[in-house]
């Protein structure tokens, strides 16, 4: 029923994020437009530059402009990989990769902790992720991934929902602040949605930890792979 929401690779995940960001930002823009008079006036002025017979998404210019803006923001979020930028600021992937992938991988590969410290792992995170994780858990066609495609898709889909909620919270927080400062709109229910979304993010983060353990168990099953991984760590 919901197979269209399953993510099979990184490209599909970016597309999914862009679509959801479009819908969320469209709702947020309409809320701002209808509740902040100054913004409503701006939309009227912008629509005045367009012929009245012009249709935007099948709507009049003043009603269709929010959708045009939302589409542009969705395109921009896709282009700059907004979820990655937010993750960099909040250090989401950095902490997850180190704590729930690289350190457990080092343990499973019997890496000598006296030779490879946590600080060294943090500094070489991206290099180690490519050499010890993505090398064996790839969604790319033609790659001889050790981890099953089903497990990889499960992990990608789970992460996609986490990033959908993160980007939605970003848009929602901006909307809450704008409405709180510039209008009398009751933002309490929007804040409730923000808290609910944050709680769901926690759930998907826990699922990500579980999925990571499954993938690491598959990756480190054989002595040869464990030896190769150990060698990658000990190069540092």
């Amino acid at each position: 029923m919901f197979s269209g929401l399953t993510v099979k690779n990184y490209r599909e995940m970016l597309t999914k994020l862009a679509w959801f960001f479009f819908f969320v930002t469209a709702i947020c823009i309409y809320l701002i437009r209808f509740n902040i008079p100054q913004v409503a006036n701006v939309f009227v002025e912008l629509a005045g530059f367009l012929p009245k017979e012009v249709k935007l998404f099948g709507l009049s210019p003043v009603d269709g402009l929010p959708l045009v803006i939302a589409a542009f923001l969705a395109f921009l979020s896709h282009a700059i990989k907004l979820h990655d930028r937010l993750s960099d600021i909040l250090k989401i992937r950095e902490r997850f990769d180190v704590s729930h992938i690289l350190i457990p991988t080092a343990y499973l590969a019997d890496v000598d902790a006296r030779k490879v410290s946590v600080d060294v792992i943090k500094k070489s995170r991206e290099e180690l992720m490519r050499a010890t994780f993505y090398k064996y858990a790839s969604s790319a066609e033609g790659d001889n991934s050790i981890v099953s495609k089903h497990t990889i898709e499960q992990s990608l889909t789970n992460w996609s929902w986490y990033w959908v909620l993160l980007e939605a919270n970003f848009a929602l927080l901006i909307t809450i602040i704008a409405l709180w400062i510039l209008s009398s709109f009751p933002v309490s229910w929007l804040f409730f949605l923000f808290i609910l979304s944050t709680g769901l993010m926690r759930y998907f983060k826990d699922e990500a930890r579980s999925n990571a353990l499954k993938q690491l168990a598959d990756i480190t099953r054989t002595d040869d792979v464990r030896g190769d991984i150990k060698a990658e760590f000990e190069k540092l």
Side-chain angles (χ1 to χ4, degrees), residues 11-177:
R11 178 182 57 80
E12 289 185 5
M13 185 174 77
L14 290 178
T15 301
K16 178 178 177 178
L17 294 183
W19 274 110
F20 274 93
F21 195 66
F22 167 73
F23 290 124
V24 171
T25 53
I27 293 170
C28 290
I29 292 168
Y30 275 113
L31 280 172
I32 290 173
R33 178 203 158 191
F34 285 121
N35 291 283
I36 300 178
Q38 303 95 309
V39 175
N41 292 335
V42 170
F43 277 103
V44 171
E45 290 180 11
L46 289 174
F49 291 103
L50 299 173
K52 291 182 179 180
E53 61 273 14
V54 168
K55 296 293 183 182
L56 301 174
F57 291 91
L59 301 171
S60 66
V62 71
D63 291 326
L65 271 175
L67 293 179
V68 173
I69 296 172
F72 171 75
L73 292 175
F75 169 79
L76 186 62
S77 73
H78 185 282
I80 68 170
K81 298 179 182 177
L82 178 61
H83 73 288
D84 269 348
R85 305 291 74 76
L86 294 174
S87 177
D88 290 342
I89 293 169
L90 300 173
K91 297 188 181 299
I92 294 171
R93 279 302 313 210
E94 178 182 324
R95 288 197 294 265
F96 186 90
D97 289 350
V98 171
S99 298
H100 302 293
I101 295 180
L102 293 176
I103 290 177
T105 298
Y107 173 79
L108 291 170
D110 197 28
V111 175
D112 190 340
R114 293 171 297 181
K115 295 181 179 179
V116 184
S117 67
V118 174
D119 287 339
V120 170
I121 291 175
K122 286 181 179 179
K123 290 177 182 177
S124 305
R125 175 178 67 92
E126 293 183 0
E127 176 187 345
L128 283 172
M129 285 294 293
R130 286 192 296 270
T132 69
F133 185 74
Y134 294 128
K135 178 180 178 180
Y136 306 105
S138 173
S139 62
E141 292 293 334
D143 281 3
N144 296 318
S145 175
I146 292 176
V147 180
S148 71
K149 293 296 182 185
H150 172 73
T151 303
I152 293 172
E153 288 177 12
Q154 187 179 41
S155 178
L156 281 171
T157 300
N158 182 79
W159 271 114
S160 74
W161 287 119
Y162 181 89
W163 299 129
V164 162
L165 293 171
L166 178 67
E167 292 186 354
N169 270 3
F170 174 69
L172 195 55
L173 184 60
I174 293 173
T175 304
I176 289 171
I177 293 171

Side-chain angles (χ1 to χ4, degrees), residues 220-233:
T220 58
R221 185 179 295 127
T222 66
D223 291 338
D224 287 344
V225 173
R226 286 198 300 272
D228 290 343
I229 290 174
K230 183 176 182 179
E232 291 293 340
F233 275 95

